[in-house]
Amino acid sequence: MTKHRMRFLATSLLLLAAPAITYADTLSDIKSRGVLTVGVKNDYPPYGYMDNDGKTVGFEISLARYIANELLGSPDKVKLVPVNASNRIQFLNAGQIDMIMATLGVTPERAKEIDFSEEYVSAAGPSILARKTAKFTQWEQLKGQKICGIQGSYFNKTVTQKYGLQLVNFTALPEAYRALQDNRCIAMVFDDMTLQNKTHEAGWSDYKIAVKPYEFTPMAGGVRKNDTAFLAAVNKAIVKAEGENKLIEWEKAFDMPKSPYLEKRAEAARTAAN
């Protein structure tokens, strides 16, 4: 074997043996660059959406800005990167964003890929949106039916395997809504609060929540695995916001249903601080 080939082989073995790139110093990087980059939804009221002035606002947007203020001294030192259910974890682990705050349900499957922050919402799981003429009221009645959905939604596995829905998945909500109105699906499955809000919009008065959620799911922020210092800083900010009743204020500001969960979290945060 030539020396050149031996060096090539040795280099290849070193590359294979090298540990995966980690981002354990994210907190230092954020402070150095002076901006927190957060993956958010911009089409998902009340958590993250575009207002009439084209500004991204919402419950999670307010929390992201609060965290930026705690870490960097200003709520404006945040870069909001639009993500969706199918690409948000990919963006995070590729280093394109520092964290996810985009209606991220806490699940064991996701915990294998990322670490979760403190949970800050207990959200109703999926429900079914359909025309008011629809007769079905139970999940079991949808077995084998074409139902519009969104790629990457945490409940897709459950609704297909447990209830037998035949999902017609889209990458974004507007596409799924159009498909439902075009009768390409008999109904749509998605987060209950989002679908509830949809029924109040112009052009959706002929639709209803036909099947109610089968669960409530905690939501949290997401950071890369073993990003310990950054996660601790994020959690400290979230708990502080809870203790100051900020999350309850944002709940009211964005017309969310009153949640006993947020009240319990706020009281627990104040107790821990004392």
Side-chain angles (χ1 to χ4, degrees), residues 241-253:
E242 290 175 329
E244 294 174 352
N245 281 341
K246 292 295 184 181
L247 276 70
I248 293 174
E249 291 177 16
W250 299 329
E251 175 187 60
K252 295 176 182 176

Side-chain angles (χ1 to χ4, degrees), residues 167-179:
L167 288 183
V168 180
N169 275 329
F170 299 87
T171 58
L173 281 169
E175 298 174 71
Y177 288 137
R178 283 195 297 271

Side-chain angles (χ1 to χ4, degrees), residues 39 47 59-60 63-64 67 99-104 106 117-123 218-222 234-235 238-239 242 247 256 259 261-262 265:
Y47 297 108
F59 181 90
E60 287 185 301
L63 182 53
I67 293 171
M99 67 179 298
I100 303 168
M101 300 200 80
T103 64
L104 187 68
V106 177
S117 75
E118 290 281 344
E119 299 165 3
Y120 47 75
V121 167
S122 179
M219 281 169 33
V234 168
N235 284 339
I238 292 173
V239 172
E242 290 175 329
L247 276 70
M256 297 167 66
S259 170
Y261 176 87
L262 291 187
R265 293 281 305 184

Side-chain angles (χ1 to χ4, degrees), residues 3-200:
K3 290 183 179 180
H4 175 75
R5 291 185 64 188
M6 289 177 68
R7 285 197 299 269
F8 177 81
L9 178 60
T11 302
S12 299
L13 290 172
L14 285 171
L15 288 172
L16 289 172
I21 295 173
T22 60
Y23 294 85
D25 211 19
T26 299
L27 184 59
S28 295
D29 291 342
I30 290 168
K31 290 184 176 181
S32 177
R33 81 174 93 102
V35 65
L36 171 68
T37 305
V38 186
V40 299
K41 296 286 185 71
N42 65 1
D43 62 350
Y44 201 142
Y47 297 108
Y49 62 98
M50 304 290 284
D51 66 11
N52 293 332
D53 297 322
K55 182 180 179 181
T56 304
V57 299
F59 181 90
E60 287 185 301
I61 308 304
S62 297
L63 182 53
R65 293 186 183 280
Y66 184 96
I67 293 171
N69 186 67
E70 291 299 301
L71 299 185
L72 300 171
S74 170
D76 296 324
K77 292 184 177 181
V78 62
K79 179 181 179 182
L80 304 175
V81 178
V83 297
N84 56 47
S86 62
N87 67 19
R88 54 192 168 186
I89 292 178
Q90 177 185 347
F91 274 33
L92 177 67
N93 286 331
Q96 294 175 259
I97 56 177
D98 298 318
M99 67 179 298
I100 303 168
M101 300 200 80
T103 64
L104 187 68
V106 177
T107 69
E109 292 78 14
R110 287 176 180 161
K112 296 174 184 177
E113 300 183 75
I114 63 173
D115 286 336
F116 290 104
S117 75
E118 290 281 344
E119 299 165 3
Y120 47 75
V121 167
S122 179
S127 62
I128 295 291
L129 177 69
R131 293 186 183 275
K132 287 183 176 179
T133 53
K135 302 298 182 184
F136 45 81
T137 59
Q138 303 295 322
W139 289 95
E140 291 78 5
Q141 293 173 289
L142 299 173
K143 184 176 181 179
Q145 299 293 329
K146 286 186 177 182
I147 308 296
C148 290
I150 300 296
Q151 292 177 12
S153 295
Y154 79 90
F155 45 77
N156 285 355
K157 183 176 179 180
T158 298
V159 299
T160 54
Q161 295 187 1
K162 183 175 181 179
Y163 297 112
L165 276 63
Q166 185 178 340
L167 288 183
V168 180
N169 275 329
F170 299 87
T171 58
L173 281 169
E175 298 174 71
Y177 288 137
R178 283 195 297 271
L180 176 60
Q181 291 183 313
D182 292 343
N183 296 315
R184 284 181 273 164
C185 314
I186 67 163
M188 178 174 171
V189 58
F190 200 61
D191 165 75
D192 178 68
M193 186 179 294
T194 301
L195 297 185
Q196 292 274 8
N197 289 339
K198 198 66 179 176
T199 62
H200 300 300

